[in-house]
Amino acid sequence: MELPQAPQGDGKFAGWFCDGKEAEDDQILNDDKEFYAVFRQDIKDARISDIPASCYNGTEIKPTFTVKYQDELLTENADYTVSWKNNVNIGTATAVITGIGKFFGTKEISYVIEAHRWNGPMKTVKEPTALVYGRAERKCTVCGKTESKQLAKLSPKMKVNVSSIVLKTGQSTTKVKVTGLAKGDRIASWTSGNNKIVTVNSSGKIRAGKKTGNAKISVKLQSGLQKQIAVKVQKTPVKTTKIQGIQKKIRLRKKKSCTLVPQILPITSVEKITFTSSNKKVATVTSKGKVTAKKKGTAVITVKSGKIKVKCKITVR
């Protein structure tokens, strides 16, 4: 018996099948074999989820989406295949869905490829330090991509209050100060170029040995920046050679006060500082340099260390 004509059914008649294979036109109908009609559905009737805009990245943009026929979620490469058109450059791209298996036909859906739309200029999210790189970021409002760039480490810097010091044998000092470091930097080490002349501990305390001579103290930062302080060790006590930081003239109102802060050079001088007033009825001064105005007039404050003197004229109004 020959195969019957195409029957009526839901969808497009795809043919008669037997044992999972399409029957041939001249195939004989046997009682022991079951033949059945297969109908395929048009993929155009499927519903495809919206494809949001994508951003250009120089490569093919292949967004994900879902395909449903009635309430059935279809499977790619089982129910349909996808090919792409114009999906690299900025503009309108197309996904072409081709039915396979129990589906036939094609359906196209368009989507947009556009340039990134950043949420503003780069903003620093991690501050750089002398030891660590920083980071700045901005975010695309379309695809959510975060773009970042590395921020350079801060340039290391260091200030040392002296370039050289003088010490008597056996004398120690903590008056060498390191300041002005870049953010995140720190002192890594203090070292002496000649421990027989002078030593230094991890806190920067410098101590002269029993021998006279010259040596260098090195202070090194974690960033690698390094500076040296020249040290001279002598047998005699270190004497004051200069007093600085004292104004020549100061005006004060009655009962007001100010403090004189002299800077003694060299900083390792062992000679004490004294303060005296030429007229205590007009202005007094304490051993710490605090000047207090008493009554109208003038007085001279003398600052002395060893044989070095400087004077400051106080005028009380």
Side-chain angles (χ1 to χ4, degrees), residues 53 55 114-120 138-145:
C55 290
E114 60 181 80
H116 288 294
R117 284 186 276 171
W118 304 109
N119 61 347
R138 61 180 179 176
K139 192 172 184 179
C140 178
T141 59
V142 177
C143 66
K145 176 184 176 180

Side-chain angles (χ1 to χ4, degrees), residues 158-167 171-181 187 189-191 198-208 215-221 227-232 264-269:
M158 166 174 40
K159 292 181 181 179
V160 182
N161 61 334
V162 290
S163 59
S164 63
I165 61 172
V166 181
L167 293 172
Q171 182 184 354
S172 64
T173 184
T174 56
K175 291 183 178 179
V176 176
K177 302 296 182 184
V178 175
T179 58
L181 306 188
I187 296 174
S189 65
W190 292 84
T191 55
V198 66
T199 60
V200 62
N201 67 14
S202 59
S203 300
K205 184 176 182 178
I206 301 169
R207 182 181 296 277
K216 290 187 181 295
I217 295 293
S218 297
V219 54
K220 186 176 182 180
L221 303 184
K227 286 194 175 184
Q228 292 185 327
I229 302 99
V231 181
K232 178 183 177 181
I264 305 301
L265 297 177
I267 61 171
T268 52
S269 171

Side-chain angles (χ1 to χ4, degrees), residues 12-166:
K12 180 180 178 181
F13 177 63
W16 292 98
F17 282 71
C18 176
D19 294 333
K21 296 180 180 179
E22 186 175 1
E24 298 178 1
D25 290 340
D26 57 353
Q27 187 169 347
I28 303 300
L29 294 177
N30 297 326
D31 292 339
D32 60 342
K33 290 189 177 182
E34 179 179 351
F35 287 80
Y36 53 91
V38 173
F39 293 87
R40 301 173 71 193
Q41 309 303 319
D42 194 338
I43 201 72
K44 286 184 178 179
D45 296 329
R47 289 180 287 111
I48 301 173
S49 62
D50 291 335
I51 301 177
S54 299
C55 290
Y56 172 80
N57 62 15
T59 63
E60 284 191 278
I61 304 293
K62 296 180 178 182
T64 58
F65 54 86
T66 59
V67 180
K68 282 187 174 183
Y69 182 79
Q70 296 179 353
D71 292 329
E72 180 186 358
L73 180 64
L74 305 190
T75 303
E76 186 177 358
N77 297 323
D79 299 314
Y80 65 91
T81 61
V82 182
S83 59
W84 309 88
K85 296 191 296 186
N86 304 320
N87 67 329
V88 175
N89 297 319
I90 292 173
T92 301
T94 304
V96 182
I97 295 93
T98 301
I100 59 174
K102 60 183 179 180
F103 293 91
F104 72 94
T106 60
K107 184 170 186 174
E108 296 186 353
I109 183 169
S110 297
Y111 58 96
V112 175
I113 300 175
E114 60 181 80
H116 288 294
R117 284 186 276 171
W118 304 109
N119 61 347
M122 288 278 189
K123 292 183 179 180
T124 299
V125 295
K126 182 181 180 181
E127 294 286 348
T129 71
L131 305 179
V132 179
Y133 291 102
R135 190 175 74 256
E137 292 181 352
R138 61 180 179 176
K139 192 172 184 179
C140 178
T141 59
V142 177
C143 66
K145 176 184 176 180
T146 297
E147 183 180 64
S148 63
K149 71 174 182 179
Q150 189 179 78
L151 302 179
K153 295 178 184 179
L154 300 180
S155 298
K157 55 184 180 178
M158 166 174 40
K159 292 181 181 179
V160 182
N161 61 334
V162 290
S163 59
S164 63
I165 61 172
V166 181

Side-chain angles (χ1 to χ4, degrees), residues 284-304:
T284 60
V285 63
T286 68
S287 60
K288 300 294 185 181
K290 182 177 180 180
V291 179
T292 303
K294 295 296 185 178
K295 69 174 185 177
K296 289 183 179 180
T298 60
V300 175
I301 304 299
T302 301
V303 183
K304 182 181 179 183

